């Protein structure tokens, strides 16, 4: 019959649509296949989402960071710098400012919660730093702290509250007052941070006159020149009994390149896991495609007896597999979103952030491109897994297939 | 009506290899001409090769020896694509009335039109029209699961007609049906024949043989025969 018959595109569309509709004819097989695809994709998408989120956070932090980051090296390892080096740095051509900073780790609270202490001179807080409540700490008076939102919550404290001494120093310990709290939606690095004045931080670590690094701002275009001048500076603290220090200078673009490296390595590990999962997925899909195989074979035989060609049936199967892959990928994307958004990436977050606090919202970014790549791989797997059964179904003579 | 026979079978033999490796002859050296517009019944005991012959006449199978020519197409040497084209010109009513489960009746009837690119609306109309013709017009949207054997066979007849074939083959179409249902199916086949189509029915039931214009009897010895 040719009444109403249309061109090749309409024929393809009709065949494809029949394949889409065929997915409901074998619901168990369709469900198992979609579940296999989703199970393989979810960890990959979640890992990729966290990785991208962390990179976004790091890049945003670095975008507001100094032009040059100076640290001390002794025996090739990081060592504190004398605070006086800032004056030498500021005297170099092109340098606008040299801000000393202390970054270290302490533990607070009864359960020894690890926190990152950041000490900065008054007025040197990062541009754009906003507080949820309170104000920035000041030096010269009582010990004042600004806490990350998660930390304040864990310590059940807020602006105005006092914290008992949580560090040991040769000059004795002081009670600290919380004067500010960072916003809950601030980047992940700030969740467990304690921001204080430079002097207070030096006191907490019992390292008076020393800083962990210096943040240097230079005139636009002076980055290379300033870096070269910094490297040529005479070693600071030449009389130090522990030996001379060398300066390590890293530019902002170099930092941008370094920081995501760890995250990328973990992302790569998940890429390998993803491939392994799909290698395992092929036999699973094979098993799934075996569900109702006899019926599918009989249906294929019937359709061939009714005038369907082998290529028509393959197009139909292709459309069916595509639908199952797209459904699996869409479900995987949804589950990954729920896993990361509502469950905080429980179970996977620690792979990327070792001391991840479940109460802290993990930054993540789910990209459609990743889902598309996953979908394409899933498609390849499903096609590989169903190829044998499809081919068997369409290659048998119709009379045999119908038995 | 052209004088050239619809189907020409010459010395057609079909053998199968049984699981033990033994070669079984399902049909041996059959000669047969099926003229256009004929109503031929193929009779014989079970296992005499009726179904094998119909499969050869419907291009569902190829002879291992000899020749089967359908509308001038020699099926033994034909490509798969050529066999597909032949099948599209032949309507086939199967013994057990196989259907696609979970698919509405109209869609089951019109499924052969999908690879032709016939739009869904046209397919639906055609499916409903043919279902009405076999007395199932009010069940076009039903799934086949709830249908009786006789109703399913009527769906099978409707599906065989969807491509408007000149040749309709029916393999034991009434063997699973009670007398009323069998009578309804036979009446349908008679009506189809009255439209000028060629009908070949395989059956061992006297009622069916009585409707046919000529009868080909296949015996254990598979004699050469002409209708």
């Amino acid at each position: 019959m040719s009444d109403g018959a249309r061109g090749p595109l309409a024929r393809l569309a009709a065949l494809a649509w029949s394949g889409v509709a065929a997915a409901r004819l074998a619901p168990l097989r369709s469900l198992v296949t979609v579940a296999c695809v989703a199970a393989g994709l979810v960890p990959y998408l979640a890992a990729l989402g966290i990785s991208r989120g962390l990179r976004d956070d790091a890049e945003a932090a670095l975008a507001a960071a100094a032009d040059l980051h100076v640290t001390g090296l002794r025996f090739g390892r990081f060592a504190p710098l004398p605070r006086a080096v800032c004056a030498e740095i500021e005297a170099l051509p092109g340098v606008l400012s040299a801000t000393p900073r202390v970054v270290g780790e302490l533990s607070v609270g009864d359960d020894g919660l690890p926190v990152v202490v950041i000490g900065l001179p008054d007025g040197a807080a990062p541009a754009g730093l906003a507080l949820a409540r309170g104000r920035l700490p000041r030096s010269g008076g009582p010990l004042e702290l600004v806490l990350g939102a998660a930390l304040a919550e864990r310590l059940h404290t807020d602006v105005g509250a006092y914290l008992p001494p949580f560090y040991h120093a040769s000059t004795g310990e002081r009670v600290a007052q919380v004067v500010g709290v960072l916003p809950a939606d601030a980047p992940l690095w700030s969740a467990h941070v304690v921001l204080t004045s430079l002097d207070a931080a030096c006191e907490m670590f019992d390292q008076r006159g020393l800083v962990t690094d210096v943040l240097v701002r230079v005139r636009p275009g002076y980055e290379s020149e300033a870096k070269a001048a910094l490297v040529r500076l005479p070693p600071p603290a030449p009389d130090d009994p522990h030996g001379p220090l060398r300066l390590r200078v890293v530019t902002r673009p170099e930092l941008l390149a370094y920081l995501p490296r760890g995250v990328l390595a973990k992302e790569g590990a998940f890429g390998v896991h993803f491939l392994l999962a799909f290698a395992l997925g092929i036999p699973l899909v094979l098993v799934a495609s075996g569900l109702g195989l006899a019926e599918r074979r009989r249906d294929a035989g019937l359709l061939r007896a009714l005038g369907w060609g082998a290529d028509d049936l393959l197009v139909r199967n292709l459309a069916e597999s595509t639908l199952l892959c797209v459904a699996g990928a869409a479900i995987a994307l949804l589950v990954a979103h729920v896993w990361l958004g509502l469950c905080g990436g429980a179970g996977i977050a620690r792979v990327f952030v070792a001391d991840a606090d479940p109460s802290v919202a993990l930054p993540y970014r789910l990209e459609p491109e990743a889902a598309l790549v996953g979908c394409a791989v899933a498609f390849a797997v499903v096609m590989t897994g169903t190829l044998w059964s499809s081919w068997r179904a369409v290659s048998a003579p119709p009379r045999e297939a119908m038995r | 009506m052209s004088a050239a026979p619809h189907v020409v079978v010459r010395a057609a033999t079909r053998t199968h290899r049984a699981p033990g490796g033994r070669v079984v002859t399902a049909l041996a050296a059959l000669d047969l001409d099926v003229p256009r517009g004929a109503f031929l019944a193929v009779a014989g005991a079970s296992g005499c090769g009726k179904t094998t012959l119909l499969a050869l006449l419907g291009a569902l199978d190829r002879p291992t020896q000899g020749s089967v020519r359908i509308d001038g197409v020699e099926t033994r040497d034909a490509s798969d694509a050529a066999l597909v084209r032949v099948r599209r010109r032949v309507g086939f009513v199967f013994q057990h009335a196989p259907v696609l489960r979970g698919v509405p009746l109209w869609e089951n009837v019109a499924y052969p039109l999908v690879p032709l690119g016939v739009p869904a609306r046209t397919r639906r109309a055609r499916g409903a029209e043919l279902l009405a013709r076999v007395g199932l017009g009010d069940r076009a949207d039903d799934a086949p699961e709830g249908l009786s054997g006789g109703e399913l066979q009527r769906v099978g007849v409707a599906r065989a007609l969807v491509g408007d074939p000149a040749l309709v083959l029916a393999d034991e179409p009434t063997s699973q049906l009670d007398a009323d249902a069998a009578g309804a199916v036979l009446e349908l086949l008679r009506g189809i024949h009255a439209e000028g189509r060629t009908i070949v029915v395989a059956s061992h039931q006297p009622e069916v043989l009585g409707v046919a214009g000529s009868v080909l009897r296949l015996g254990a010895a598979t004699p050469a025969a002409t209708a």
Side-chain angles (χ1 to χ4, degrees):
Chain A
M1 173 178 170
S2 59
D3 294 349
R6 288 183 180 175
L9 276 180
R11 179 176 162 269
L12 266 179
L15 286 170
W17 182 247
S18 76
V20 168
R24 71 188 148 95
L25 298 182
L28 181 62
R29 172 187 177 274
S30 300
L31 274 175
V32 173
T33 305
V34 167
C36 285
V37 170
L41 265 180
V42 166
Y44 169 72
L45 289 177
L48 213 61
I50 295 174
S51 163
R52 298 288 150 86
L54 291 173
R55 278 166 59 186
D56 287 352
D57 257 18
E59 283 170 14
L62 284 173
D67 300 314
L68 300 173
H69 184 242
V70 182
T71 48
L73 289 178
R74 179 175 284 136
F75 295 116
R77 293 173 181 273
F78 289 113
L81 285 166
R83 197 162 159 179
V85 78
C86 292
E88 291 177 53
I89 294 173
E90 275 182 334
L92 293 173
V95 172
L96 291 173
S97 68
T99 306
R101 185 173 72 162
V102 169
V103 179
E105 195 175 305
L106 281 176
S107 53
V108 300
D110 295 337
D111 48 357
L113 188 67
V115 297
V116 175
V117 176
I118 299 177
L120 287 167
D122 291 356
L129 178 73
L131 300 180
R133 358 181 227 289
R135 59 170 174 80
L136 288 169
R138 287 192 283 256
S139 59
L143 178 54
E144 294 182 341
L145 309 175
V146 166
L147 303 183
L151 179 61
E153 196 174 319
R154 284 283 292 272
L155 297 175
H156 306 293
T157 189
D158 210 332
V159 175
Y162 288 90
L163 293 180
F166 57 91
Y167 63 93
H168 301 287
S170 56
T171 54
E173 297 82 36
R174 286 196 287 167
V175 170
Q177 184 181 20
V178 179
V179 296
V181 174
L182 293 168
D185 60 352
L188 183 69
W189 63 264
S190 69
H192 282 176
V193 83
V194 172
L195 193 61
T196 187
S197 68
L198 186 67
D199 292 336
C202 289
E203 180 188 322
M204 283 182 198
F205 292 103
D206 215 1
Q207 299 283 333
R208 288 182 184 280
L210 294 176
V211 296
T212 54
D213 45 7
V214 178
L215 309 176
V216 181
R217 289 199 177 277
V218 299
R219 287 181 207 286
Y222 274 79
E223 290 84 357
S224 303
E225 195 178 326
K227 181 178 178 181
L230 274 164
V231 172
R232 284 197 302 268
L233 268 182
D239 304 329
D240 192 318
H242 295 106
L245 275 171
R246 297 261 177 260
L247 291 184
R248 179 176 184 266
V249 185
V250 180
T251 63
R252 184 161 43 189
E254 287 168 345
L255 270 181
L256 273 169
Y258 291 152
L259 275 184
R261 194 175 283 172
V263 173
L264 282 176
K266 284 163 182 169
E267 185 181 311
F270 269 91
V272 173
H273 286 160
F274 174 65
L275 287 177
L276 280 175
F278 272 105
L280 288 172
I282 291 177
L284 273 175
V285 171
L286 262 172
V287 171
S289 67
L291 296 169
L293 180 61
E295 190 173 344
R296 285 170 67 78
R297 194 160 179 262
R298 202 198 63 213
D299 285 352
L302 175 62
L303 292 180
R304 291 200 68 197
L306 295 175
W308 282 56
D311 52 344
D312 300 329
L313 280 164
L314 287 174
V315 171
R316 182 176 182 259
N317 290 349
L318 190 76
E320 186 184 358
S321 296
T322 305
L323 173 74
L324 297 180
C325 287
V326 170
I331 289 171
L333 204 58
L334 192 70
V335 172
H337 195 75
V338 170
W339 189 10
L340 297 178
L342 297 182
C343 308
I348 197 171
R350 283 180 182 278
V351 176
F352 287 88
V353 186
D355 53 353
D357 183 342
S359 66
V360 178
L362 201 67
Y364 70 93
R365 177 159 57 95
L366 287 172
E367 291 178 323
E369 292 87 347
L372 281 177
V373 169
C375 194
V377 177
F379 178 73
V381 170
V382 171
M383 284 312 295
T384 310
T386 57
L387 204 61
W388 176 76
S389 61
S390 295
W391 183 248
R392 264 194 68 183
V394 302
S395 60
R399 198 180 153 211
E400 268 180 41
M402 285 176 70
R403 278 183 186 148
Chain B
M1 193 182 295
S2 161
H6 216 138
V7 184
V8 178
V9 179
R10 290 290 176 267
T13 297
R14 184 67 173 96
T15 56
H16 302 287
R17 196 166 286 278
R22 190 169 56 94
V23 175
V24 177
T25 302
L27 195 70
L30 180 77
D31 289 331
L32 172 69
D33 287 348
V34 182
R36 292 179 188 275
F39 193 142
L40 169 68
V42 180
S46 293
C48 69
K50 299 191 294 292
T51 298
T52 299
L53 175 59
L54 255 68
L56 292 178
L57 300 184
L60 304 186
D61 203 357
R62 302 170 198 254
T64 38
Q65 282 178 18
S67 151
V68 174
R69 191 173 285 271
I70 304 166
D71 278 339
V73 177
E74 173 56 63
T75 62
R76 192 174 167 197
D77 307 323
S79 64
D80 283 345
L83 287 187
V84 167
R85 285 194 292 274
V86 170
R87 284 181 208 131
R88 287 176 182 167
R89 296 200 302 265
V90 176
F92 212 113
V93 182
F94 300 97
Q95 182 175 4
H96 299 290
V99 287
L100 297 172
R101 289 184 200 168
V103 174
L105 294 184
W106 72 263
E107 207 175 344
N108 252 297
V109 168
Y111 229 84
L113 303 181
V114 171
L116 304 179
V118 177
R121 189 177 298 173
T122 310
R123 292 203 308 269
R124 189 185 179 96
R126 179 80 175 140
E129 174 197 331
L130 287 168
L131 283 170
R133 181 171 173 186
V134 298
L136 294 169
D138 56 340
R139 312 211 35 193
D141 291 318
D142 289 359
E145 280 75 6
L147 264 61
S148 68
E151 288 169 329
L152 280 176
Q153 198 54 283
R154 281 191 274 155
V155 172
V157 172
R159 185 176 56 198
L161 296 177
V162 77
D164 197 18
L167 172 63
V168 176
L169 308 170
D171 184 14
E172 305 268 12
T174 58
S175 64
Q176 312 284 320
L177 308 181
D178 59 37
D180 288 347
V185 170
L186 280 181
E187 202 51 46
L188 281 171
L189 289 177
R190 204 164 12 202
I192 293 165
H193 177 244
E195 293 168 350
R197 300 180 210 270
T198 308
I199 311 281
V200 180
V201 185
S203 180
H204 59 272
Q205 292 176 302
E207 304 82 15
V208 179
L209 306 185
V211 172
S214 54
V215 177
L216 166 66
R217 293 186 185 278
L218 296 179
T222 320
T226 51

